[in-house]
């Protein structure tokens, strides 16, 4: 069964009683739409992402998928439909093949290689690693660069064939070349899937249908880059700041 729209309805959340992180978030993400969520550090972007696979539940309000409250879905079914790539890629001291297969244990070797190809990871695996897919990556993936680790994480998420893909600062620690490869991979993979990109890298905005601007736990505005440049002061400031830091 395909999942439908994802809707946040007046969602409040706090980690501690005196510090609200989300304060009345209202947001609808349509089936097949890719959105970027941007905003200053600490505005609640990552918390928003973490509520979708139910690492936490809202204190007030609800998050619904196809009109059904996430709390009414079986956790296993919900998480089975979600792929997640975060800043902290958890790799095991095992082969590349097994690291990609983690989370989809029944996948064949061919499917693992195909996922690596889609994630633009196949070239460095086959050309730069001594034992290819049988290379053991070391403690926490220490033998790989940041860009290589992110592409392994992306291959792992692609292999799950999720209906909803969440990328939380997934390209934060990587070089421009890796980032461009990952963007190519995402452009083809996200196609008809729902995608949520939490990012402070504005180069990722070329991948999305719509941008959501958050500030201090609320959604301030949502629209295209051009619309937000015209009417959203915070977006303009964020945009100028990232342009300065990458220049």
């Amino acid at each position: 069964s395909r999942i439908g729209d994802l809707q946040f309805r007046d969602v409040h959340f706090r980690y501690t009683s005196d510090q609200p992180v989300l304060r009345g978030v209202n947001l609808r993400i349509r089936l097949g739409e890719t959105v970027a969520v941007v905003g200053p550090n600490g505005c609640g972007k990552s918390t928003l992402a973490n509520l979708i696979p139910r690492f936490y539940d809202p204190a007030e309000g609800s998050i619904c998928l196809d009109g059904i409250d996430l709390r009414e879905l079986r956790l296993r079914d919900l998480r089975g439909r979600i792929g997640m790539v975060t800043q902290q890629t958890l790799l095991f001291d095992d082969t590349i093949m097994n690291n990609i297969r983690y989370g989809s244990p029944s996948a064949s070797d061919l499917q693992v290689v195909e996922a690596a190809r889609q994630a633009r990871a196949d070239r460095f695996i086959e050309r730069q690693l001594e034992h290819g897919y049988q290379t053991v990556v070391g403690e926490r993936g220490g033998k790989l660069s940041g860009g290589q680790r992110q592409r392994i994480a992306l291959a792992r998420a692609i292999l799950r064939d999720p209906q909803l893909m969440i990328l939380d600062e997934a390209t934060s620690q990587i070089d421009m070349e890796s980032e461009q490869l990952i963007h190519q991979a995402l452009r083809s993979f996200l196609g008809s899937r729902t995608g949520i990109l939490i990012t402070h890298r504005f180069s990722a905005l070329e991948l999305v249908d719509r941008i959501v601007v958050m500030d201090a736990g609320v959604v301030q505005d949502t629209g295209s880059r051009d619309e937000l440049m015209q009417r959203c002061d915070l977006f303009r400031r964020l945009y100028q700041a990232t342009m300065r830091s990458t220049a």
Side-chain angles (χ1 to χ4, degrees):
S1 65
R2 299 291 295 160
I3 59 174
D5 294 0
L6 182 69
Q7 191 164 14
F8 289 77
R9 295 179 180 153
D10 199 28
V11 169
H12 293 254
F13 180 81
R14 55 187 70 80
Y15 293 102
T16 58
S17 56
D18 56 341
Q19 275 216 308
V21 184
L22 300 177
R23 304 176 306 153
V25 168
N26 285 292
L27 177 64
R28 177 186 285 256
I29 298 168
R30 288 182 287 281
L31 174 67
E33 183 181 33
T34 299
V35 303
V37 183
V38 303
N41 286 340
C43 71
K45 304 187 293 279
S46 289
T47 302
L48 189 81
N50 285 332
L51 292 174
I52 300 169
R54 289 194 58 207
F55 298 149
Y56 306 97
D57 284 328
E60 296 163 48
S62 64
I63 305 168
C64 295
L65 198 50
D66 212 8
I68 300 166
D69 192 312
L70 296 186
R71 287 170 283 211
E72 292 175 24
L73 298 170
R74 281 181 53 200
L75 200 54
R76 223 186 125 164
D77 293 343
L78 172 67
R79 290 184 181 167
R81 296 166 170 201
I82 297 172
M84 201 161 187
V85 183
T86 64
Q87 220 169 336
Q88 303 305 325
T89 312
L90 190 63
L91 294 186
F92 307 98
D93 194 8
D94 200 341
T95 62
I96 295 270
M97 184 72 83
N98 288 342
N99 265 291
I100 295 175
R101 192 183 273 130
Y102 172 77
S104 312
S106 60
S108 69
D109 287 4
L110 271 173
Q111 287 170 314
V112 169
V113 172
E114 174 57 25
R117 195 185 63 73
Q118 283 188 46
R120 306 294 190 271
D122 56 324
R123 286 175 67 169
F124 85 78
I125 294 170
E126 288 162 11
R127 295 179 187 182
Q128 294 171 25
L129 302 182
E130 195 180 356
H131 303 294
Y133 286 88
Q134 298 309 315
T135 304
V136 174
V137 300
E139 188 76 24
R140 292 208 183 91
K143 293 181 183 169
L144 303 177
S145 72
Q148 290 172 338
R149 280 199 296 272
Q150 292 293 182
R151 277 176 278 165
I152 296 297
L154 186 59
R156 184 190 276 172
I158 285 173
L159 187 64
R160 287 172 68 88
D161 192 24
Q163 295 170 14
L164 172 68
M165 184 73 120
I166 301 169
L167 297 121
D168 187 359
E169 296 288 12
T171 57
S172 59
Q173 326 172 7
I174 63 177
D175 55 272
M176 291 297 288
E177 189 190 359
S178 295
E179 185 180 53
Q180 283 168 340
L181 287 168
I182 285 177
H183 284 181
Q184 285 172 17
L186 287 173
R187 191 174 284 111
S188 47
F189 183 73
L190 286 171
S192 59
R193 292 175 171 83
T194 305
I196 300 169
L197 276 61
I198 313 284
T199 186
H200 67 264
R201 282 207 176 185
F202 276 45
S203 48
L205 299 185
E206 64 197 35
L207 297 169
V208 306
D209 303 307
R210 192 161 55 107
I211 301 163
V212 175
V213 183
M214 283 188 71
D215 191 25
V218 294
V219 172
Q220 273 229 331
D221 203 345
T222 150
S224 71
R225 189 175 73 175
D226 294 346
E227 288 167 349
L228 294 171
M229 283 300 268
Q230 282 176 356
R231 67 174 186 233
C232 180
D233 191 42
L234 173 60
F235 182 79
R236 267 198 306 273
R237 289 205 308 273
L238 289 166
Y239 193 81
Q240 283 152 2
T242 52
M243 288 305 130
R244 276 199 300 277
S245 67
T246 51

